[in-house]
Amino acid sequence: MKRESFGSRLGFILVSAGCAIGIGNVWKFPYICGAYGGAAFILIYLCFLVILGIPVLVAEFAVGRGSHTSVAKCFDKLAPAGNCWKPLKFIGIIGCYMLMMFYTTVGGWMIYYCVKSLRGDFVGATPEAVTQSFSDMLGNAPTMMLWMVIICLIGFAVCFMGLQNGIEKISKVMMSALLIIMVILAVHSVMMEGAGEGIRFYLIPDFQKIKEAGVGNVVFAALSQSFFTLSIGIGAMLIFGSYLDKSRSLTGEAVSITVLDTFVALTAGFIIIPACFSYGIQPDAGPSLIFITLPNIFAKMSGGALWGSLFFLFLTFAAVSTIIAVFENLIVFNMELFGWNRKKSVVVCAVLVVILSIPCVLGFNVLSGFQPFGDGSNIMDLEDFIVSNNLLPLGSLGYLLFCTRKNGWGWDNFIAEVNAGTGMKFPKCLKNYVAYGIPAIIIVIYLKGYYDKFAGLGTAALAGWMIVALVLLGFVFYCATAKKKVKQ
């Protein structure tokens, strides 16, 4: 089958940015920014985006454009004979499926709350009623199942229409609307009475907070956020590189997508932080911010139904854009691995994703007794841990090693692919940094993530989990170094 391609550069940038822009930009970034020193944290975060996030994104795009395939076939096509790179594809395949196993549930929450806001359910509601509403939703398996299925059907319907007529066209409209809604919400938020204190909390450097949190912890938080914000490592971005021609160099495209992703993260802070301070509510991180804290603010706000609806519409667009992008990966996996057409692959993937998403839905109610990480944890926490703490960093490490090692695709091939076309060029002098420096940083992020996750469970549990981490890390290095006999 003829390989599809984007109809325009803008389409590629908006679709790729839609994949990167997700719920984490909203319910995590504003809070950790304010908690870790405001503008000082932002500056550190931006530095790490440049020196870490962008190079890994460039590598993923390069493998995609160089192979003109998804992660399911890219190593098969580019890896030289006699090496063991091909098993790395399972990081991407498993990662994309695993991400959708819980992201579809969260996306369903967004649509449901958008509808509730449009109905005016939160207007005049007490804080207790708002909190109870979220608890009632989590406890209601049929309701959660319904909205999960709805967002799956929306995502697969867009993908069914193809790259240009479906994904690119819809993403252009959706992402443009997302950016417009965000600007409107941000302007409204910063003009609230008392919003100035929130803006100062968010943007003015507070070195005392950095000192209280510990310089090392602040730097690591900025490092981790810059790495995870771009959704790199599982091939979700690679697929869009495979649809590109060679008219533009990849570094400039990666920078454009990173700028757009950062704009959304920063603007989300201007929406949330001033509003919280205006109503005397401490901003939290995580689902409680979106589904409890902010609905409480909208309940008190003049025109709260309108502003709440716009806010959850923006979040719905952010969730759907990511879901569509990853669904495209899943669909193309089947098309490349089994030779199916798009229609058949969409139908099979739709059924499979809905089934695979059910455990996450039930993890908040029927299966709530299963707490993999102790009290308060659930199935979604386990699935998120597998993706965020394992597959994203391990996959990113795999791409870097593949692009720089002589027994892989190799630095010369990588640079030739990245710098083909007009636009910003990737510096050739960074070979050693990309080959050794960034992998070392990723390994530190990976192992520190395990340590932070399990250090509180005791020495035995920590030792056991660190062994798991090292085994998984060993798998990547095995793929990068092992050789096999080539049949004569």
Side-chain angles (χ1 to χ4, degrees), residues 331-381:
I331 292 164
V332 176
F333 291 165
N334 293 335
M335 293 169 67
E336 291 179 350
L337 291 172
F338 308 119
W340 296 351
N341 60 31
R342 179 172 285 270
K343 180 179 179 180
K344 179 178 180 180
S345 188
V346 167
V347 172
V348 173
C349 284
V351 173
L352 189 58
V353 168
V354 168
I355 293 172
L356 291 174
S357 299
I358 291 174
C360 180
V361 170
L362 300 182
F364 293 95
N365 35 77
V366 178
L367 301 178
S368 59
F370 177 59
Q371 299 179 338
F373 299 125
D375 291 344
S377 63
N378 51 51
I379 291 174
M380 185 170 81
D381 294 327

Short mmCIF file of all heavy atoms in Angstrom, two decimals, residues 331-381:
data_model
loop_
_atom_site.label_atom_id
_atom_site.label_comp_id
_atom_site.label_asym_id
_atom_site.label_seq_id
_atom_site.Cartn_x
_atom_site.Cartn_y
_atom_site.Cartn_z
N ILE A 331 -3.41 1.33 14.86
CA ILE A 331 -3.99 0.94 13.57
C ILE A 331 -2.90 0.57 12.58
O ILE A 331 -2.98 -0.45 11.88
CB ILE A 331 -4.87 2.08 13.02
CG1 ILE A 331 -6.11 2.25 13.90
CG2 ILE A 331 -5.27 1.83 11.57
CD1 ILE A 331 -6.83 3.57 13.70
N VAL A 332 -1.85 1.39 12.52
CA VAL A 332 -0.76 1.14 11.57
C VAL A 332 0.04 -0.10 11.96
O VAL A 332 0.56 -0.79 11.10
CB VAL A 332 0.13 2.38 11.44
CG1 VAL A 332 1.33 2.11 10.51
CG2 VAL A 332 -0.67 3.56 10.87
N PHE A 333 0.16 -0.39 13.26
CA PHE A 333 0.82 -1.62 13.68
C PHE A 333 0.23 -2.82 12.93
O PHE A 333 0.94 -3.64 12.35
CB PHE A 333 0.66 -1.87 15.18
CG PHE A 333 1.39 -0.91 16.08
CD1 PHE A 333 1.08 -0.83 17.42
CD2 PHE A 333 2.40 -0.10 15.58
CE1 PHE A 333 1.75 0.04 18.26
CE2 PHE A 333 3.07 0.78 16.40
CZ PHE A 333 2.74 0.85 17.75
N ASN A 334 -1.10 -2.92 12.96
CA ASN A 334 -1.78 -4.05 12.32
C ASN A 334 -1.63 -4.02 10.81
O ASN A 334 -1.47 -5.06 10.16
CB ASN A 334 -3.26 -4.06 12.69
CG ASN A 334 -3.50 -4.36 14.16
OD1 ASN A 334 -2.68 -4.99 14.80
ND2 ASN A 334 -4.60 -3.88 14.69
N MET A 335 -1.68 -2.83 10.24
CA MET A 335 -1.55 -2.70 8.79
C MET A 335 -0.18 -3.17 8.33
O MET A 335 -0.05 -3.82 7.28
CB MET A 335 -1.80 -1.25 8.37
CG MET A 335 -3.24 -0.78 8.60
SD MET A 335 -3.47 1.00 8.40
CE MET A 335 -3.17 1.21 6.65
N GLU A 336 0.85 -2.87 9.11
CA GLU A 336 2.22 -3.24 8.73
C GLU A 336 2.55 -4.68 9.10
O GLU A 336 3.23 -5.38 8.33
CB GLU A 336 3.21 -2.29 9.39
CG GLU A 336 3.14 -0.87 8.84
CD GLU A 336 4.12 0.09 9.49
OE1 GLU A 336 4.74 -0.28 10.52
OE2 GLU A 336 4.28 1.21 8.99
N LEU A 337 2.09 -5.13 10.26
CA LEU A 337 2.45 -6.48 10.72
C LEU A 337 1.64 -7.57 10.01
O LEU A 337 2.15 -8.65 9.75
CB LEU A 337 2.24 -6.58 12.23
CG LEU A 337 3.21 -5.78 13.11
CD1 LEU A 337 2.76 -5.83 14.57
CD2 LEU A 337 4.63 -6.31 12.98
N PHE A 338 0.37 -7.27 9.69
CA PHE A 338 -0.51 -8.30 9.16
C PHE A 338 -1.02 -8.01 7.74
O PHE A 338 -1.75 -8.83 7.17
CB PHE A 338 -1.72 -8.50 10.09
CG PHE A 338 -1.33 -8.73 11.53
CD1 PHE A 338 -1.74 -7.86 12.53
CD2 PHE A 338 -0.55 -9.83 11.88
CE1 PHE A 338 -1.38 -8.07 13.85
CE2 PHE A 338 -0.19 -10.04 13.20
CZ PHE A 338 -0.59 -9.17 14.18
N GLY A 339 -0.67 -6.84 7.21
CA GLY A 339 -1.10 -6.50 5.86
C GLY A 339 -2.57 -6.15 5.74
O GLY A 339 -3.16 -6.22 4.66
N TRP A 340 -3.20 -5.76 6.85
CA TRP A 340 -4.62 -5.40 6.82
C TRP A 340 -4.82 -4.04 6.18
O TRP A 340 -3.91 -3.20 6.18
CB TRP A 340 -5.20 -5.36 8.24
CG TRP A 340 -5.19 -6.68 8.94
CD1 TRP A 340 -4.91 -7.91 8.41
CD2 TRP A 340 -5.48 -6.92 10.33
NE1 TRP A 340 -4.99 -8.89 9.36
CE2 TRP A 340 -5.34 -8.31 10.55
CE3 TRP A 340 -5.83 -6.09 11.40
CZ2 TRP A 340 -5.56 -8.88 11.80
CZ3 TRP A 340 -6.04 -6.66 12.65
CH2 TRP A 340 -5.91 -8.04 12.85
N ASN A 341 -6.04 -3.76 5.71
CA ASN A 341 -6.36 -2.41 5.27
C ASN A 341 -6.78 -1.59 6.49
O ASN A 341 -6.98 -2.12 7.58
CB ASN A 341 -7.45 -2.42 4.19
CG ASN A 341 -8.76 -3.06 4.66
OD1 ASN A 341 -9.11 -3.00 5.85
ND2 ASN A 341 -9.48 -3.68 3.74
N ARG A 342 -6.92 -0.27 6.30
CA ARG A 342 -7.23 0.62 7.43
C ARG A 342 -8.57 0.27 8.07
O ARG A 342 -8.70 0.28 9.30
CB ARG A 342 -7.20 2.07 6.96
CG ARG A 342 -7.54 3.09 8.05
CD ARG A 342 -7.32 4.51 7.59
NE ARG A 342 -5.90 4.83 7.53
CZ ARG A 342 -5.20 5.35 8.55
NH1 ARG A 342 -5.80 5.57 9.73
NH2 ARG A 342 -3.92 5.63 8.43
N LYS A 343 -9.58 -0.04 7.25
CA LYS A 343 -10.92 -0.32 7.78
C LYS A 343 -10.90 -1.50 8.75
O LYS A 343 -11.43 -1.42 9.85
CB LYS A 343 -11.88 -0.59 6.63
CG LYS A 343 -13.30 -0.89 7.06
CD LYS A 343 -14.20 -1.12 5.86
CE LYS A 343 -15.63 -1.43 6.30
NZ LYS A 343 -16.52 -1.66 5.13
N LYS A 344 -10.28 -2.60 8.34
CA LYS A 344 -10.23 -3.79 9.19
C LYS A 344 -9.44 -3.52 10.45
O LYS A 344 -9.84 -3.93 11.56
CB LYS A 344 -9.60 -4.95 8.41
CG LYS A 344 -9.49 -6.24 9.22
CD LYS A 344 -8.90 -7.37 8.40
CE LYS A 344 -8.80 -8.66 9.22
NZ LYS A 344 -8.23 -9.77 8.43
N SER A 345 -8.32 -2.80 10.32
CA SER A 345 -7.48 -2.52 11.48
C SER A 345 -8.20 -1.63 12.48
O SER A 345 -8.09 -1.84 13.69
CB SER A 345 -6.17 -1.85 11.02
OG SER A 345 -5.28 -1.73 12.11
N VAL A 346 -8.96 -0.64 11.99
CA VAL A 346 -9.72 0.24 12.88
C VAL A 346 -10.73 -0.56 13.69
O VAL A 346 -10.85 -0.40 14.91
CB VAL A 346 -10.44 1.35 12.08
CG1 VAL A 346 -11.48 2.05 12.96
CG2 VAL A 346 -9.44 2.37 11.56
N VAL A 347 -11.47 -1.45 13.03
CA VAL A 347 -12.50 -2.24 13.71
C VAL A 347 -11.88 -3.14 14.78
O VAL A 347 -12.34 -3.18 15.93
CB VAL A 347 -13.29 -3.09 12.70
CG1 VAL A 347 -14.23 -4.06 13.42
CG2 VAL A 347 -14.09 -2.19 11.76
N VAL A 348 -10.81 -3.84 14.42
CA VAL A 348 -10.15 -4.74 15.38
C VAL A 348 -9.58 -3.95 16.56
O VAL A 348 -9.75 -4.34 17.73
CB VAL A 348 -9.05 -5.55 14.69
CG1 VAL A 348 -8.25 -6.35 15.72
CG2 VAL A 348 -9.64 -6.49 13.65
N CYS A 349 -8.90 -2.85 16.26
CA CYS A 349 -8.30 -2.03 17.33
C CYS A 349 -9.35 -1.44 18.24
O CYS A 349 -9.16 -1.36 19.46
CB CYS A 349 -7.44 -0.92 16.73
SG CYS A 349 -5.85 -1.46 16.10
N ALA A 350 -10.47 -1.00 17.67
CA ALA A 350 -11.54 -0.40 18.48
C ALA A 350 -12.06 -1.40 19.51
O ALA A 350 -12.21 -1.08 20.70
CB ALA A 350 -12.67 0.09 17.58
N VAL A 351 -12.32 -2.61 19.05
CA VAL A 351 -12.82 -3.65 19.96
C VAL A 351 -11.76 -3.98 21.01
O VAL A 351 -12.05 -4.09 22.21
CB VAL A 351 -13.20 -4.91 19.17
CG1 VAL A 351 -13.56 -6.05 20.12
CG2 VAL A 351 -14.37 -4.62 18.23
N LEU A 352 -10.52 -4.11 20.57
CA LEU A 352 -9.43 -4.50 21.47
C LEU A 352 -9.18 -3.43 22.53
O LEU A 352 -9.03 -3.75 23.73
CB LEU A 352 -8.16 -4.75 20.66
CG LEU A 352 -6.96 -5.36 21.40
CD1 LEU A 352 -7.35 -6.70 22.03
CD2 LEU A 352 -5.79 -5.56 20.44
N VAL A 353 -9.14 -2.16 22.13
CA VAL A 353 -8.87 -1.08 23.09
C VAL A 353 -9.99 -0.96 24.11
O VAL A 353 -9.74 -0.75 25.31
CB VAL A 353 -8.65 0.26 22.34
CG1 VAL A 353 -8.66 1.43 23.33
CG2 VAL A 353 -7.34 0.23 21.58
N VAL A 354 -11.24 -1.08 23.67
CA VAL A 354 -12.35 -1.01 24.62
C VAL A 354 -12.23 -2.13 25.66
O VAL A 354 -12.39 -1.91 26.87
CB VAL A 354 -13.70 -1.11 23.88
CG1 VAL A 354 -14.85 -1.35 24.87
CG2 VAL A 354 -13.96 0.16 23.09
N ILE A 355 -11.92 -3.34 25.20
CA ILE A 355 -11.78 -4.47 26.13
C ILE A 355 -10.61 -4.24 27.09
O ILE A 355 -10.72 -4.46 28.30
CB ILE A 355 -11.58 -5.79 25.35
CG1 ILE A 355 -12.86 -6.14 24.59
CG2 ILE A 355 -11.20 -6.93 26.29
CD1 ILE A 355 -12.71 -7.31 23.64
N LEU A 356 -9.48 -3.80 26.55
CA LEU A 356 -8.29 -3.58 27.38
C LEU A 356 -8.47 -2.42 28.37
O LEU A 356 -7.78 -2.37 29.39
CB LEU A 356 -7.08 -3.30 26.49
CG LEU A 356 -6.56 -4.48 25.66
CD1 LEU A 356 -5.46 -4.03 24.71
CD2 LEU A 356 -6.04 -5.59 26.57
N SER A 357 -9.39 -1.50 28.08
CA SER A 357 -9.62 -0.35 28.97
C SER A 357 -10.52 -0.69 30.14
O SER A 357 -10.60 0.08 31.11
CB SER A 357 -10.23 0.81 28.17
OG SER A 357 -9.37 1.24 27.13
N ILE A 358 -11.21 -1.81 30.06
CA ILE A 358 -12.17 -2.17 31.11
C ILE A 358 -11.53 -2.33 32.49
O ILE A 358 -12.08 -1.85 33.49
CB ILE A 358 -12.96 -3.43 30.70
CG1 ILE A 358 -13.88 -3.10 29.53
CG2 ILE A 358 -13.76 -3.99 31.88
CD1 ILE A 358 -14.61 -4.30 28.94
N PRO A 359 -10.35 -2.99 32.62
CA PRO A 359 -9.76 -3.12 33.97
C PRO A 359 -9.53 -1.77 34.65
O PRO A 359 -9.75 -1.67 35.87
CB PRO A 359 -8.44 -3.84 33.69
CG PRO A 359 -8.69 -4.62 32.46
CD PRO A 359 -9.59 -3.76 31.62
N CYS A 360 -9.11 -0.76 33.91
CA CYS A 360 -8.89 0.55 34.52
C CYS A 360 -10.20 1.13 35.04
O CYS A 360 -10.25 1.67 36.15
CB CYS A 360 -8.26 1.50 33.50
SG CYS A 360 -7.94 3.15 34.16
N VAL A 361 -11.27 1.02 34.24
CA VAL A 361 -12.58 1.50 34.67
C VAL A 361 -13.02 0.79 35.95
O VAL A 361 -13.45 1.42 36.92
CB VAL A 361 -13.62 1.27 33.56
CG1 VAL A 361 -15.03 1.54 34.08
CG2 VAL A 361 -13.33 2.17 32.36
N LEU A 362 -12.87 -0.52 35.97
CA LEU A 362 -13.32 -1.30 37.13
C LEU A 362 -12.39 -1.15 38.33
O LEU A 362 -12.79 -1.45 39.46
CB LEU A 362 -13.41 -2.79 36.75
CG LEU A 362 -14.38 -3.14 35.62
CD1 LEU A 362 -14.40 -4.64 35.38
CD2 LEU A 362 -15.79 -2.63 35.94
N GLY A 363 -11.17 -0.65 38.09
CA GLY A 363 -10.22 -0.47 39.19
C GLY A 363 -10.65 0.55 40.22
O GLY A 363 -10.14 0.57 41.34
N PHE A 364 -11.61 1.42 39.84
CA PHE A 364 -12.10 2.44 40.77
C PHE A 364 -13.36 1.99 41.50
O PHE A 364 -13.86 2.72 42.36
CB PHE A 364 -12.40 3.74 40.00
CG PHE A 364 -11.17 4.40 39.46
CD1 PHE A 364 -10.76 4.17 38.15
CD2 PHE A 364 -10.41 5.24 40.26
CE1 PHE A 364 -9.63 4.77 37.65
CE2 PHE A 364 -9.27 5.85 39.75
CZ PHE A 364 -8.87 5.62 38.45
N ASN A 365 -13.88 0.84 41.18
CA ASN A 365 -15.13 0.40 41.80
C ASN A 365 -15.11 -1.12 42.06
O ASN A 365 -14.72 -1.55 43.13
CB ASN A 365 -16.34 0.79 40.94
CG ASN A 365 -16.03 0.74 39.44
OD1 ASN A 365 -15.99 -0.33 38.86
ND2 ASN A 365 -15.79 1.90 38.81
N VAL A 366 -15.46 -1.92 41.07
CA VAL A 366 -15.56 -3.37 41.26
C VAL A 366 -14.25 -3.98 41.71
O VAL A 366 -14.21 -4.87 42.58
CB VAL A 366 -16.05 -4.06 39.96
CG1 VAL A 366 -16.11 -5.57 40.14
CG2 VAL A 366 -17.42 -3.52 39.56
N LEU A 367 -13.14 -3.53 41.12
CA LEU A 367 -11.82 -4.08 41.44
C LEU A 367 -11.00 -3.15 42.33
O LEU A 367 -9.77 -3.23 42.33
CB LEU A 367 -11.05 -4.37 40.13
CG LEU A 367 -11.70 -5.36 39.16
CD1 LEU A 367 -10.86 -5.50 37.90
CD2 LEU A 367 -11.89 -6.72 39.82
N SER A 368 -11.66 -2.29 43.06
CA SER A 368 -10.94 -1.32 43.90
C SER A 368 -10.13 -1.98 45.01
O SER A 368 -9.22 -1.36 45.58
CB SER A 368 -11.92 -0.30 44.50
OG SER A 368 -12.90 -0.97 45.29
N GLY A 369 -10.43 -3.23 45.31
CA GLY A 369 -9.66 -3.93 46.34
C GLY A 369 -8.26 -4.29 45.89
O GLY A 369 -7.38 -4.57 46.72
N PHE A 370 -8.03 -4.28 44.58
CA PHE A 370 -6.69 -4.54 44.06
C PHE A 370 -5.87 -3.25 44.13
O PHE A 370 -6.12 -2.31 43.39
CB PHE A 370 -6.77 -5.05 42.62
CG PHE A 370 -5.42 -5.28 41.98
CD1 PHE A 370 -4.50 -6.17 42.54
CD2 PHE A 370 -5.05 -4.59 40.83
CE1 PHE A 370 -3.26 -6.38 41.95
CE2 PHE A 370 -3.82 -4.79 40.23
CZ PHE A 370 -2.91 -5.68 40.79
N GLN A 371 -4.90 -3.21 45.05
CA GLN A 371 -4.11 -2.00 45.29
C GLN A 371 -2.62 -2.37 45.12
O GLN A 371 -1.94 -2.70 46.08
CB GLN A 371 -4.39 -1.44 46.68
CG GLN A 371 -5.85 -1.06 46.86
CD GLN A 371 -6.16 -0.53 48.25
OE1 GLN A 371 -5.45 -0.79 49.22
NE2 GLN A 371 -7.25 0.23 48.36
N PRO A 372 -2.12 -2.31 43.88
CA PRO A 372 -0.79 -2.83 43.58
C PRO A 372 0.36 -2.15 44.30
O PRO A 372 1.39 -2.77 44.55
CB PRO A 372 -0.67 -2.63 42.07
CG PRO A 372 -1.67 -1.56 41.74
CD PRO A 372 -2.79 -1.75 42.70
N PHE A 373 0.19 -0.89 44.66
CA PHE A 373 1.26 -0.16 45.35
C PHE A 373 0.86 0.25 46.76
O PHE A 373 1.37 1.22 47.30
CB PHE A 373 1.66 1.08 44.54
CG PHE A 373 2.17 0.76 43.16
CD1 PHE A 373 1.58 1.34 42.04
CD2 PHE A 373 3.22 -0.13 42.98
CE1 PHE A 373 2.05 1.05 40.76
CE2 PHE A 373 3.68 -0.43 41.71
CZ PHE A 373 3.10 0.15 40.60
N GLY A 374 -0.05 -0.48 47.35
CA GLY A 374 -0.47 -0.17 48.72
C GLY A 374 -1.75 0.62 48.76
O GLY A 374 -2.41 0.86 47.74
N ASP A 375 -2.14 1.04 49.95
CA ASP A 375 -3.40 1.74 50.16
C ASP A 375 -3.53 2.95 49.25
O ASP A 375 -2.62 3.77 49.14
CB ASP A 375 -3.52 2.20 51.62
CG ASP A 375 -3.68 1.02 52.58
OD1 ASP A 375 -3.99 -0.08 52.09
OD2 ASP A 375 -3.49 1.21 53.79
N GLY A 376 -4.72 3.05 48.64
CA GLY A 376 -5.01 4.21 47.80
C GLY A 376 -4.60 4.06 46.35
O GLY A 376 -4.99 4.87 45.51
N SER A 377 -3.82 3.05 46.03
CA SER A 377 -3.41 2.84 44.64
C SER A 377 -4.46 2.01 43.91
O SER A 377 -5.32 1.38 44.53
CB SER A 377 -2.04 2.17 44.56
OG SER A 377 -2.07 0.88 45.12
N ASN A 378 -4.39 2.00 42.59
CA ASN A 378 -5.38 1.27 41.79
C ASN A 378 -4.74 0.78 40.50
O ASN A 378 -3.54 0.96 40.27
CB ASN A 378 -6.60 2.15 41.53
CG ASN A 378 -6.22 3.51 40.96
OD1 ASN A 378 -5.47 3.59 39.98
ND2 ASN A 378 -6.70 4.58 41.57
N ILE A 379 -5.56 0.18 39.65
CA ILE A 379 -5.05 -0.39 38.40
C ILE A 379 -4.47 0.69 37.50
O ILE A 379 -3.45 0.47 36.82
CB ILE A 379 -6.18 -1.16 37.69
CG1 ILE A 379 -6.52 -2.42 38.49
CG2 ILE A 379 -5.77 -1.54 36.26
CD1 ILE A 379 -7.71 -3.20 37.97
N MET A 380 -5.09 1.87 37.47
CA MET A 380 -4.56 2.95 36.64
C MET A 380 -3.15 3.34 37.09
O MET A 380 -2.29 3.64 36.25
CB MET A 380 -5.47 4.18 36.66
CG MET A 380 -5.01 5.28 35.70
SD MET A 380 -6.18 6.63 35.48
CE MET A 380 -5.85 7.60 36.95
N ASP A 381 -2.89 3.36 38.37
CA ASP A 381 -1.56 3.68 38.88
C ASP A 381 -0.53 2.67 38.37
O ASP A 381 0.59 3.03 38.02
CB ASP A 381 -1.56 3.69 40.41
CG ASP A 381 -2.39 4.81 40.99
OD1 ASP A 381 -2.46 5.88 40.36
OD2 ASP A 381 -3.00 4.61 42.06
#
